[in-house]
Amino acid sequence: MSEGLSFSLTEEQQAFRAAVRELVEDKISPRASDIDSEDEYPWDIDDLLVKNGLSGVSYPEQYGGAGGGAVELCILVEEISRWQAGVSLIPAVNKLGAVAVLLGGTEEQKSEVCSGIATGRHRMSYCLTEPDSGSDAASMRSRATADGDDWIINGSKRWITNAGASDLYTFFAVTDLEARKGQNITAFLVSSDMEGFSLGRKEKKLGIRGSPTREVILENCRVPGSNVLGQVNHGWDIAMRTLDFSRPTIAAQALGIAQGAFDYAVGYCSERKQFGKPIASFQGMQFMFADMAMKLETARLAVYRSAIAVDEDDPDVSYWAAIAKCHASDAAMAITTDCVQALGGYGYISDYPVERLMRDAKITQIYEGTNQIQRVVIARKIFGKLE
């Protein structure tokens, strides 16, 4: 994109989208409502993704993945999110946890994680946020103390997506109490079978149900020195770069949620009649859908522009990722709310999917950095760091 603007996917990417859409509509859409109501991790769908080679999308082939990049991952997440946003977090969160390994891991770690996720042997989560440090994540209280060649980690992380379903965790902890904040954090690869690892309660959430959110607790957890990702005290850079790479994926999730609600509402309003004619024929309704379409298509441009920035290793990837995540999630919240309105009373009941999609949309404005934080990132690019 740096050499010339392109607004279309390649033929291969279009074929990939079509294949994913067919699978989602055939196998995932019939389960969408039940997954939401039962709020249990859908292992059958996880297995479906593995068997169809989708769990390895965006992982380098040299490490046992299926290849592709951020664009392909965004396509996958967008298409799943049109029906079930909680399920879309299976590939999205695996990659979130794995990015730190790809950024700082050894060749052996990269091979184990990538091939393991692709074959369903491993699943990953990302542990950064703590009970007292959300947006100010560098103020974390988790501590890692050297003990010979090992590290002893104590601390807890909150709001960890797919905790319990995952067996591997990228865990960040302070390793130097005397160093400056942000220059004293190390990334570790932690396994759920390590002594001292435990989980807190499963949170009851508004949306993205079917994707467990739990606290991850380490109490005197001994982690081998070989499980350090990157260099000691350089984990903060890995944490922030990981978010740059993952925010386009959350933007794609928001886009998919919005597209799913929009598609359903268009069909409904084309058939629903009032005063003797389809409600889609009323100008007030048409203007509402025109506004939604503008938000939707500009969000799509932002999502795939940011994904290309990741794939091209664009130095401005933080800027593009923040724009995509912020704009797409704000658009998703607005669009799903309008779709509920378009269906009237039917939009407010769980028999119709727009209610679920509206609930799912809200979290996209919050996680992977709130949209207020995204605006800070964007403003810093515009003005630089002002004292």
Side-chain angles (χ1 to χ4, degrees):
M1 183 168 283
S2 58
E3 295 180 357
L5 293 175
S6 175
F7 296 99
S8 63
L9 300 175
T10 66
E11 289 186 7
E12 185 177 356
Q13 289 166 340
Q14 291 173 11
F16 175 65
R17 181 188 290 279
V20 173
R21 179 168 295 192
E22 182 178 3
L23 181 70
V24 169
E25 293 182 348
D26 183 41
K27 300 294 186 181
I28 297 178
S29 67
R31 291 270 286 117
S33 180
D34 288 343
I35 291 170
D36 178 73
S37 60
E38 295 166 4
D39 195 21
E40 295 294 335
Y41 187 84
W43 286 103
D44 60 324
I45 302 300
D46 185 308
D47 187 56
L48 177 75
L49 298 177
V50 172
K51 287 182 176 178
N52 283 274
L54 297 177
S55 57
V57 170
S58 82
Y59 297 91
E61 293 181 12
Q62 69 190 91
Y63 300 125
V71 171
E72 285 74 18
L73 182 60
C74 283
I75 292 171
L76 175 63
V77 169
E78 179 193 346
E79 289 299 322
I80 297 175
S81 299
R82 290 178 62 245
W83 282 102
Q84 231 299 334
V87 169
S88 76
L89 288 172
I90 295 174
V93 172
N94 276 337
K95 188 60 183 291
L96 174 64
V99 167
V101 178
L102 288 168
L103 288 173
T106 63
E107 292 297 297
E108 182 179 359
Q109 288 169 334
K110 292 174 184 178
S111 180
E112 176 64 24
V113 166
C114 293
S115 64
I117 290 173
T119 60
R121 189 173 70 254
H122 291 310
R123 288 156 191 88
M124 287 202 74
S125 291
Y126 179 82
C127 301
L128 180 64
T129 300
E130 296 189 356
D132 296 318
S133 61
S135 295
D136 185 17
S139 295
M140 66 182 65
R141 296 184 179 181
S142 293
R143 301 287 186 262
T145 305
D147 184 27
D149 292 333
D150 299 337
W151 293 86
I152 306 299
I153 305 180
N154 285 279
S156 63
K157 302 292 182 176
R158 182 156 291 179
W159 319 122
I160 306 308
T161 306
N162 287 353
S166 296
D167 64 300
L168 295 178
Y169 298 79
T170 298
F171 195 100
F172 296 88
V174 172
T175 43
D176 187 346
L177 295 177
E178 304 301 322
R180 293 177 58 187
K181 184 174 78 171
Q183 298 179 7
N184 59 350
I185 293 168
T186 302
F188 296 89
L189 182 61
V190 174
S191 174
S192 60
D193 61 4
M194 291 178 173
E195 185 175 353
F197 178 98
S198 64
L199 299 170
R201 68 174 188 178
K202 179 183 174 184
E203 303 291 353
K204 298 179 180 180
K205 308 190 300 294
L206 175 72
I208 57 165
R209 294 164 60 81
S211 172
T213 301
R214 303 181 67 172
E215 191 170 13
V216 171
I217 303 165
L218 300 187
E219 297 177 292
N220 294 323
C221 183
R222 182 176 292 274
V223 178
S226 58
N227 282 37
V228 170
L229 298 174
Q231 299 179 13
V232 173
N233 293 331
H234 288 266
W236 184 245
D237 291 339
I238 291 177
M240 293 300 98
R241 288 186 67 196
T242 296
L243 293 178
D244 286 341
F245 292 169
S246 66
R247 281 169 180 160
T249 312
I250 297 305
Q253 182 190 48
L255 174 62
I257 292 169
Q259 186 71 63
F262 182 84
D263 291 344
Y264 190 89
V266 167
Y268 177 91
C269 293
S270 298
E271 296 180 2
R272 172 72 168 173
K273 291 185 177 180
Q274 293 288 277
F275 306 102
K277 54 185 178 180
I279 60 177
S281 66
F282 298 124
Q283 189 178 65
M285 190 66 73
Q286 292 176 349
F287 282 8
M288 179 187 293
F289 277 87
D291 287 340
M292 284 191 275
M294 286 188 285
K295 293 184 179 77
L296 191 61
E297 297 304 340
T298 53
R300 177 166 287 107
L301 292 173
V303 167
Y304 288 99
R305 175 63 183 89
S306 68
I308 289 172
V310 171
D311 286 339
E312 293 186 346
D313 198 21
D314 191 321
D316 290 331
V317 65
S318 297
Y319 175 71
W320 292 114
I323 286 176
K325 192 272 183 185
C326 190
H327 179 68
S329 58
D330 282 351
M333 196 68 244
I335 290 168
T336 55
T337 300
D338 280 348
C339 287
V340 169
Q341 185 73 20
L343 268 67
Y346 290 107
Y348 202 69
I349 61 176
S350 59
D351 292 346
Y352 293 77
V354 292
E355 174 267 347
R356 168 169 45 83
L357 291 164
M358 185 180 74
R359 289 189 285 107
D360 288 340
K362 185 58 197 175
I363 191 60
T364 64
Q365 294 179 303
I366 298 172
Y367 60 11
E368 300 292 305
T370 66
N371 281 5
Q372 287 70 31
I373 291 296
Q374 305 312 310
R375 288 173 167 86
V376 170
V377 173
I378 295 165
R380 282 180 178 171
K381 171 61 179 176
I382 297 168
F383 296 107
K385 292 184 179 181
L386 302 175
E387 298 298 332

